[in-house]
Amino acid sequence: MGFEEGIGKERGGVGMGFQFLTRRKQVDSKRARADVGHQLAKALSVSQLVAIGVGTTIGAGVYVLVGTVAREHTGPALTISFLIAGIAAALSAFCYAELASRCPSAGSAYHYSYICVGEGVAWIIGWALILEYTIGGSAVARGISPNLALVFGGPESLPSYLQRIHIPGIDIIVDPCAAILVLFVTGLLCLGIKESTFIQAIITALNVCVLLFVIIAGGYIGFKTGWVGYTVSGGYFPYGINGVLAGSATVFFAYIGFDSVASTAEEVKNPQRDLPLGIATALSVCCLLYMAVSAVVVGLVPYFAMDPDTPISSAFTRNDVQWAVYLVTSGAILALCSALMGSLLPQPRILMAMARDGLLPSFFSDVNERTQVPVKSTILTGIFAASLAFFMDVSQLAGMVSVGTLLAFTIVAVSILILRYVPPREVPLPASLHESIESVSFRYSSNQRHDDGTSQAIPKESADSPLIVKEINKENLSETTRRQRAAWSIASVCVGVLILTTSASYSFLPSVLRYTTCSAGGLLLVVGLSVLSWIDQDDARHTFGHTGGFICPFVPFLPICCILVNAYLLVNLGAGTWFRVSLWLLLGVFVYLFYGRTHSSLTDVVYVPTAHVEEIYRTSESVA
């Protein structure tokens, strides 16, 4: 063979037994997708992407979060906390926007990490996202029935077949209403991406109208009553700047959801233009709504007198606007329904992407010919989420949702650094192109002997991999050095962030040890950042993937800030959450080792230099 099979040379250095963890796939091209079978429908525009992003992001949390955070952390400065959290979320959004436009395929962060980092990390991210969307959808569904009961008059007002039932002996409260809602949404998603997105857009628009009512009507009441919430004795910052930052860390999770836009990348009409616009617009709309609602509510009621459970409803009640309670509660139900659709939408597409890559059975990759959606995956995930919502109160597992999201945000930022400084230089091609690869390999081998002006036997290494060797011979030594320095610098940043955030968060550590480790982590971070800022980025970044889309600004500063923020939030999620997530990830490791590793589509491929891919395909077509 003229090329190294299975693993390209630049993926070496991991140990012969674990090289499969670092094998990377190529960006899906039109040629690659033509071999997949039925395709997802290209039906989404910018407005539909915004509906998905806003609908998934703005859940019922905003109707509760403003009271809890204002009372415990920020006081009247809650608006500033939402702004800071929005800026932190925008760091991840910038990274998502570039990768989504360069690699517009189903799978979101799983797909990006498979291309830039490797199969092992991609599997962990995909497995964590499966957990995130399943538990997230079930938790949202469990929150709908009590709010629905309030609209009809109280906890016992729902029909008997929809009411929660406590099963004595095993201490389980089943929720038929939640399960039915999940199954109903699953049926909508099976109709087609255009139809389900249209329904979600209607629900999202109604929810936004409720929030606009809160802003306009609340603003009128505030001007009429003198904004009593801003005249408290503690001032605008009763808990200081530290309180505002703590509040930002809490409300950051209110912005989780825009990544669902990236999961629909393969179904977007013009992904290079529409995906970045959809992500940016959705995040901007959510940030403006959050800031406006919080500014109004904390102005109507002093922060220490706010109801932590129903802050918006109670604010209108205190100002003798009783009927607004029903409108606000209806808004919470609409927000939950939209968030439920947003939680169930991405998971079948992630399963489909993993199955296409051979890491899961092909059952999950089937796309219905008529509806052009992965119906089998959608039904299976819907049944599983409905079962969880029916039998289990998943509120205690809500932290596990954040782990999947923050891991995805972190690896997407790392992928941006890899794309810019050390993008893959080799592409995996199927073994079916054996003859074409050998033909091009022989041609370059002959050219090499001719250029050298000699006909003696070439070394064994050149005979084994003439194209790769020719690329290396042409390569400037300084470019190799630059890539090595960039790779070590990216590793230094990641290790430094992990040490810094861990030691800064674990207050129980002895002071000397804590300050020492913080200094060591900070030094690694600064050194890595300095080197990346000093050296040039790789020229191959201009042609990586699908060109012409959004380009993330302020690299390497912006991705590194994103890594730092998300790592800090991950470390502070709590030991209980990490223990439960670790059990799920351990199960995923066994699934990968016993199935995904051996069934991966990259187990029998040939890695060739990127510059020769098109020539190999042309040779293959001429031979055929």
PDB file of all heavy atoms in Angstrom, residues 74-100:
ATOM      1  N   THR A  74     -27.756  38.994  44.047  1.00  0.00           N
ATOM      2  CA  THR A  74     -27.494  40.239  43.314  1.00  0.00           C
ATOM      3  C   THR A  74     -28.254  41.460  43.813  1.00  0.00           C
ATOM      4  O   THR A  74     -27.766  42.581  43.686  1.00  0.00           O
ATOM      5  CB  THR A  74     -27.838  40.047  41.826  1.00  0.00           C
ATOM      6  OG1 THR A  74     -29.244  39.843  41.688  1.00  0.00           O
ATOM      7  CG2 THR A  74     -27.096  38.850  41.253  1.00  0.00           C
ATOM      8  N   GLY A  75     -29.458  41.263  44.338  1.00  0.00           N
ATOM      9  CA  GLY A  75     -30.300  42.418  44.618  1.00  0.00           C
ATOM     10  C   GLY A  75     -30.764  43.057  43.327  1.00  0.00           C
ATOM     11  O   GLY A  75     -30.977  42.361  42.312  1.00  0.00           O
ATOM     12  N   PRO A  76     -30.902  44.386  43.288  1.00  0.00           N
ATOM     13  CA  PRO A  76     -31.369  45.053  42.062  1.00  0.00           C
ATOM     14  C   PRO A  76     -30.429  44.906  40.868  1.00  0.00           C
ATOM     15  O   PRO A  76     -30.815  45.197  39.734  1.00  0.00           O
ATOM     16  CB  PRO A  76     -31.471  46.528  42.488  1.00  0.00           C
ATOM     17  CG  PRO A  76     -31.585  46.493  43.976  1.00  0.00           C
ATOM     18  CD  PRO A  76     -30.773  45.315  44.420  1.00  0.00           C
ATOM     19  N   ALA A  77     -29.174  44.454  41.109  1.00  0.00           N
ATOM     20  CA  ALA A  77     -28.185  44.346  40.025  1.00  0.00           C
ATOM     21  C   ALA A  77     -28.342  43.069  39.215  1.00  0.00           C
ATOM     22  O   ALA A  77     -27.421  42.675  38.494  1.00  0.00           O
ATOM     23  CB  ALA A  77     -26.777  44.425  40.610  1.00  0.00           C
ATOM     24  N   LEU A  78     -29.488  42.431  39.295  1.00  0.00           N
ATOM     25  CA  LEU A  78     -29.713  41.175  38.569  1.00  0.00           C
ATOM     26  C   LEU A  78     -29.516  41.349  37.068  1.00  0.00           C
ATOM     27  O   LEU A  78     -29.011  40.454  36.386  1.00  0.00           O
ATOM     28  CB  LEU A  78     -31.129  40.671  38.855  1.00  0.00           C
ATOM     29  CG  LEU A  78     -31.577  39.406  38.117  1.00  0.00           C
ATOM     30  CD1 LEU A  78     -30.678  38.226  38.477  1.00  0.00           C
ATOM     31  CD2 LEU A  78     -33.034  39.077  38.450  1.00  0.00           C
ATOM     32  N   THR A  79     -29.886  42.500  36.542  1.00  0.00           N
ATOM     33  CA  THR A  79     -29.734  42.752  35.107  1.00  0.00           C
ATOM     34  C   THR A  79     -28.278  42.652  34.678  1.00  0.00           C
ATOM     35  O   THR A  79     -27.960  42.127  33.604  1.00  0.00           O
ATOM     36  CB  THR A  79     -30.286  44.146  34.754  1.00  0.00           C
ATOM     37  OG1 THR A  79     -31.636  44.252  35.228  1.00  0.00           O
ATOM     38  CG2 THR A  79     -30.269  44.385  33.252  1.00  0.00           C
ATOM     39  N   ILE A  80     -27.372  43.138  35.530  1.00  0.00           N
ATOM     40  CA  ILE A  80     -25.946  43.073  35.222  1.00  0.00           C
ATOM     41  C   ILE A  80     -25.489  41.616  35.180  1.00  0.00           C
ATOM     42  O   ILE A  80     -24.676  41.229  34.333  1.00  0.00           O
ATOM     43  CB  ILE A  80     -25.125  43.865  36.257  1.00  0.00           C
ATOM     44  CG1 ILE A  80     -25.643  45.307  36.359  1.00  0.00           C
ATOM     45  CG2 ILE A  80     -23.650  43.851  35.890  1.00  0.00           C
ATOM     46  CD1 ILE A  80     -25.529  46.091  35.074  1.00  0.00           C
ATOM     47  N   SER A  81     -26.018  40.793  36.084  1.00  0.00           N
ATOM     48  CA  SER A  81     -25.659  39.374  36.089  1.00  0.00           C
ATOM     49  C   SER A  81     -26.088  38.688  34.795  1.00  0.00           C
ATOM     50  O   SER A  81     -25.344  37.878  34.232  1.00  0.00           O
ATOM     51  CB  SER A  81     -26.305  38.667  37.292  1.00  0.00           C
ATOM     52  OG  SER A  81     -25.694  39.055  38.496  1.00  0.00           O
ATOM     53  N   PHE A  82     -27.297  38.997  34.331  1.00  0.00           N
ATOM     54  CA  PHE A  82     -27.755  38.422  33.062  1.00  0.00           C
ATOM     55  C   PHE A  82     -26.889  38.887  31.897  1.00  0.00           C
ATOM     56  O   PHE A  82     -26.623  38.119  30.967  1.00  0.00           O
ATOM     57  CB  PHE A  82     -29.217  38.791  32.805  1.00  0.00           C
ATOM     58  CG  PHE A  82     -30.201  37.817  33.384  1.00  0.00           C
ATOM     59  CD1 PHE A  82     -31.025  38.177  34.434  1.00  0.00           C
ATOM     60  CD2 PHE A  82     -30.305  36.537  32.882  1.00  0.00           C
ATOM     61  CE1 PHE A  82     -31.940  37.275  34.976  1.00  0.00           C
ATOM     62  CE2 PHE A  82     -31.211  35.627  33.402  1.00  0.00           C
ATOM     63  CZ  PHE A  82     -32.026  35.998  34.458  1.00  0.00           C
ATOM     64  N   LEU A  83     -26.423  40.136  31.939  1.00  0.00           N
ATOM     65  CA  LEU A  83     -25.561  40.647  30.871  1.00  0.00           C
ATOM     66  C   LEU A  83     -24.215  39.927  30.868  1.00  0.00           C
ATOM     67  O   LEU A  83     -23.729  39.494  29.808  1.00  0.00           O
ATOM     68  CB  LEU A  83     -25.355  42.153  31.047  1.00  0.00           C
ATOM     69  CG  LEU A  83     -24.385  42.811  30.050  1.00  0.00           C
ATOM     70  CD1 LEU A  83     -24.891  42.651  28.618  1.00  0.00           C
ATOM     71  CD2 LEU A  83     -24.188  44.290  30.389  1.00  0.00           C
ATOM     72  N   ILE A  84     -23.610  39.772  32.049  1.00  0.00           N
ATOM     73  CA  ILE A  84     -22.313  39.084  32.136  1.00  0.00           C
ATOM     74  C   ILE A  84     -22.451  37.634  31.682  1.00  0.00           C
ATOM     75  O   ILE A  84     -21.606  37.111  30.935  1.00  0.00           O
ATOM     76  CB  ILE A  84     -21.762  39.160  33.573  1.00  0.00           C
ATOM     77  CG1 ILE A  84     -21.460  40.618  33.945  1.00  0.00           C
ATOM     78  CG2 ILE A  84     -20.521  38.290  33.734  1.00  0.00           C
ATOM     79  CD1 ILE A  84     -21.064  40.816  35.394  1.00  0.00           C
ATOM     80  N   ALA A  85     -23.513  36.966  32.127  1.00  0.00           N
ATOM     81  CA  ALA A  85     -23.738  35.577  31.722  1.00  0.00           C
ATOM     82  C   ALA A  85     -23.973  35.481  30.220  1.00  0.00           C
ATOM     83  O   ALA A  85     -23.526  34.522  29.567  1.00  0.00           O
ATOM     84  CB  ALA A  85     -24.930  34.996  32.479  1.00  0.00           C
ATOM     85  N   GLY A  86     -24.667  36.456  29.655  1.00  0.00           N
ATOM     86  CA  GLY A  86     -24.897  36.468  28.217  1.00  0.00           C
ATOM     87  C   GLY A  86     -23.604  36.619  27.432  1.00  0.00           C
ATOM     88  O   GLY A  86     -23.404  35.977  26.397  1.00  0.00           O
ATOM     89  N   ILE A  87     -22.696  37.470  27.950  1.00  0.00           N
ATOM     90  CA  ILE A  87     -21.395  37.634  27.290  1.00  0.00           C
ATOM     91  C   ILE A  87     -20.592  36.334  27.376  1.00  0.00           C
ATOM     92  O   ILE A  87     -19.949  35.912  26.408  1.00  0.00           O
ATOM     93  CB  ILE A  87     -20.614  38.795  27.941  1.00  0.00           C
ATOM     94  CG1 ILE A  87     -21.340  40.126  27.657  1.00  0.00           C
ATOM     95  CG2 ILE A  87     -19.184  38.847  27.436  1.00  0.00           C
ATOM     96  CD1 ILE A  87     -20.758  41.318  28.389  1.00  0.00           C
ATOM     97  N   ALA A  88     -20.646  35.668  28.554  1.00  0.00           N
ATOM     98  CA  ALA A  88     -19.945  34.389  28.709  1.00  0.00           C
ATOM     99  C   ALA A  88     -20.514  33.340  27.754  1.00  0.00           C
ATOM    100  O   ALA A  88     -19.766  32.548  27.154  1.00  0.00           O
ATOM    101  CB  ALA A  88     -20.057  33.906  30.156  1.00  0.00           C
ATOM    102  N   ALA A  89     -21.837  33.315  27.596  1.00  0.00           N
ATOM    103  CA  ALA A  89     -22.453  32.374  26.654  1.00  0.00           C
ATOM    104  C   ALA A  89     -22.078  32.709  25.218  1.00  0.00           C
ATOM    105  O   ALA A  89     -21.936  31.812  24.373  1.00  0.00           O
ATOM    106  CB  ALA A  89     -23.969  32.390  26.819  1.00  0.00           C
ATOM    107  N   ALA A  90     -21.895  34.002  24.938  1.00  0.00           N
ATOM    108  CA  ALA A  90     -21.524  34.413  23.586  1.00  0.00           C
ATOM    109  C   ALA A  90     -20.149  33.893  23.191  1.00  0.00           C
ATOM    110  O   ALA A  90     -19.886  33.658  22.008  1.00  0.00           O
ATOM    111  CB  ALA A  90     -21.552  35.936  23.472  1.00  0.00           C
ATOM    112  N   LEU A  91     -19.259  33.685  24.177  1.00  0.00           N
ATOM    113  CA  LEU A  91     -17.940  33.125  23.876  1.00  0.00           C
ATOM    114  C   LEU A  91     -18.093  31.753  23.213  1.00  0.00           C
ATOM    115  O   LEU A  91     -17.454  31.448  22.206  1.00  0.00           O
ATOM    116  CB  LEU A  91     -17.108  33.003  25.152  1.00  0.00           C
ATOM    117  CG  LEU A  91     -16.806  34.296  25.917  1.00  0.00           C
ATOM    118  CD1 LEU A  91     -15.999  33.995  27.175  1.00  0.00           C
ATOM    119  CD2 LEU A  91     -16.076  35.297  25.042  1.00  0.00           C
ATOM    120  N   SER A  92     -18.954  30.926  23.819  1.00  0.00           N
ATOM    121  CA  SER A  92     -19.213  29.610  23.227  1.00  0.00           C
ATOM    122  C   SER A  92     -19.964  29.741  21.909  1.00  0.00           C
ATOM    123  O   SER A  92     -19.725  28.965  20.967  1.00  0.00           O
ATOM    124  CB  SER A  92     -20.020  28.745  24.207  1.00  0.00           C
ATOM    125  OG  SER A  92     -19.287  28.475  25.379  1.00  0.00           O
ATOM    126  N   ALA A  93     -20.867  30.701  21.833  1.00  0.00           N
ATOM    127  CA  ALA A  93     -21.653  30.871  20.608  1.00  0.00           C
ATOM    128  C   ALA A  93     -20.768  31.223  19.415  1.00  0.00           C
ATOM    129  O   ALA A  93     -20.994  30.746  18.298  1.00  0.00           O
ATOM    130  CB  ALA A  93     -22.713  31.955  20.826  1.00  0.00           C
ATOM    131  N   PHE A  94     -19.741  32.059  19.634  1.00  0.00           N
ATOM    132  CA  PHE A  94     -18.814  32.395  18.555  1.00  0.00           C
ATOM    133  C   PHE A  94     -18.102  31.144  18.040  1.00  0.00           C
ATOM    134  O   PHE A  94     -17.941  30.953  16.826  1.00  0.00           O
ATOM    135  CB  PHE A  94     -17.778  33.416  19.048  1.00  0.00           C
ATOM    136  CG  PHE A  94     -18.277  34.834  19.073  1.00  0.00           C
ATOM    137  CD1 PHE A  94     -18.205  35.590  20.229  1.00  0.00           C
ATOM    138  CD2 PHE A  94     -18.810  35.412  17.936  1.00  0.00           C
ATOM    139  CE1 PHE A  94     -18.661  36.894  20.258  1.00  0.00           C
ATOM    140  CE2 PHE A  94     -19.279  36.723  17.946  1.00  0.00           C
ATOM    141  CZ  PHE A  94     -19.200  37.466  19.109  1.00  0.00           C
ATOM    142  N   CYS A  95     -17.648  30.296  18.984  1.00  0.00           N
ATOM    143  CA  CYS A  95     -16.955  29.069  18.586  1.00  0.00           C
ATOM    144  C   CYS A  95     -17.899  28.135  17.838  1.00  0.00           C
ATOM    145  O   CYS A  95     -17.524  27.558  16.803  1.00  0.00           O
ATOM    146  CB  CYS A  95     -16.389  28.367  19.821  1.00  0.00           C
ATOM    147  SG  CYS A  95     -15.168  29.338  20.740  1.00  0.00           S
ATOM    148  N   TYR A  96     -19.123  27.988  18.334  1.00  0.00           N
ATOM    149  CA  TYR A  96     -20.112  27.149  17.663  1.00  0.00           C
ATOM    150  C   TYR A  96     -20.408  27.674  16.260  1.00  0.00           C
ATOM    151  O   TYR A  96     -20.572  26.893  15.314  1.00  0.00           O
ATOM    152  CB  TYR A  96     -21.407  27.117  18.470  1.00  0.00           C
ATOM    153  CG  TYR A  96     -21.555  25.926  19.370  1.00  0.00           C
ATOM    154  CD1 TYR A  96     -21.207  26.005  20.714  1.00  0.00           C
ATOM    155  CD2 TYR A  96     -22.047  24.715  18.902  1.00  0.00           C
ATOM    156  CE1 TYR A  96     -21.340  24.911  21.562  1.00  0.00           C
ATOM    157  CE2 TYR A  96     -22.184  23.615  19.735  1.00  0.00           C
ATOM    158  CZ  TYR A  96     -21.832  23.715  21.058  1.00  0.00           C
ATOM    159  OH  TYR A  96     -21.959  22.631  21.891  1.00  0.00           O
ATOM    160  N   ALA A  97     -20.494  28.991  16.124  1.00  0.00           N
ATOM    161  CA  ALA A  97     -20.873  29.579  14.841  1.00  0.00           C
ATOM    162  C   ALA A  97     -19.853  29.243  13.753  1.00  0.00           C
ATOM    163  O   ALA A  97     -20.220  28.917  12.617  1.00  0.00           O
ATOM    164  CB  ALA A  97     -21.028  31.087  14.973  1.00  0.00           C
ATOM    165  N   GLU A  98     -18.558  29.319  14.088  1.00  0.00           N
ATOM    166  CA  GLU A  98     -17.548  29.003  13.073  1.00  0.00           C
ATOM    167  C   GLU A  98     -17.574  27.521  12.721  1.00  0.00           C
ATOM    168  O   GLU A  98     -17.568  27.155  11.536  1.00  0.00           O
ATOM    169  CB  GLU A  98     -16.143  29.379  13.555  1.00  0.00           C
ATOM    170  CG  GLU A  98     -15.078  28.905  12.583  1.00  0.00           C
ATOM    171  CD  GLU A  98     -13.714  29.526  12.800  1.00  0.00           C
ATOM    172  OE1 GLU A  98     -13.603  30.469  13.617  1.00  0.00           O
ATOM    173  OE2 GLU A  98     -12.755  29.068  12.153  1.00  0.00           O
ATOM    174  N   LEU A  99     -17.603  26.656  13.726  1.00  0.00           N
ATOM    175  CA  LEU A  99     -17.576  25.224  13.447  1.00  0.00           C
ATOM    176  C   LEU A  99     -18.845  24.758  12.740  1.00  0.00           C
ATOM    177  O   LEU A  99     -18.801  23.876  11.880  1.00  0.00           O
ATOM    178  CB  LEU A  99     -17.370  24.443  14.744  1.00  0.00           C
ATOM    179  CG  LEU A  99     -15.956  24.532  15.331  1.00  0.00           C
ATOM    180  CD1 LEU A  99     -15.907  23.892  16.710  1.00  0.00           C
ATOM    181  CD2 LEU A  99     -14.948  23.863  14.420  1.00  0.00           C
ATOM    182  N   ALA A 100     -19.981  25.350  13.115  1.00  0.00           N
ATOM    183  CA  ALA A 100     -21.239  24.962  12.465  1.00  0.00           C
ATOM    184  C   ALA A 100     -21.246  25.329  10.998  1.00  0.00           C
ATOM    185  O   ALA A 100     -21.795  24.597  10.166  1.00  0.00           O
ATOM    186  CB  ALA A 100     -22.417  25.620  13.182  1.00  0.00           C
TER     187      ALA A 100
END
